[in-house]
Amino acid sequence: MRLLLTSLLLGAGILVGACSDAPSKKECEKLLDHVIDIYTPARPGEQLTPQVKKDLEEQQKAVAKVVGKDFVSKCTDTLPKAHVECALKARSEADLGKCEEN
């Protein structure tokens, strides 16, 4: 859990930049969910038992609860809308990093 939190915050940190047109709270909430999905261990096509799926969902909810308010606040205050749009299209940690280049 601690490793996931650290990775999530580092991933969000990659996106931080000066803001000219701020994303909405809803967009930032969507981004939080998307970043959590990227940093969780399950990958498309993996066969997960019902218990593992349940545990993963609980872990995702716990992460969102811990970092949610701060993430959304920092997102709306510091991220350009273009970065959020780029990050929402990201499919991997590497894709998230590419959003900083634009």
Side-chain angles (χ1 to χ4, degrees), residues 3-24:
L3 178 60
L4 179 60
L5 282 172
T6 301
S7 296
L8 177 63
L9 293 173
L10 287 174
I14 289 171
L15 301 174
V16 174
C19 181
S20 59
D21 60 327
S24 70

Side-chain angles (χ1 to χ4, degrees), residues 1-55:
M1 176 82 152
R2 189 173 290 258
L3 178 60
L4 179 60
L5 282 172
T6 301
S7 296
L8 177 63
L9 293 173
L10 287 174
I14 289 171
L15 301 174
V16 174
C19 181
S20 59
D21 60 327
S24 70
K25 181 179 176 184
K26 186 175 181 177
E27 290 170 316
C28 289
E29 289 169 344
K30 194 175 191 179
L31 178 59
L32 173 62
D33 291 339
H34 186 63
V35 171
I36 289 172
D37 286 342
I38 288 175
Y39 281 96
T40 52
R43 300 290 181 232
E46 272 189 278
Q47 297 296 322
L48 303 177
T49 66
Q51 184 60 48
V52 171
K53 286 181 184 179
K54 182 181 175 190
D55 292 345

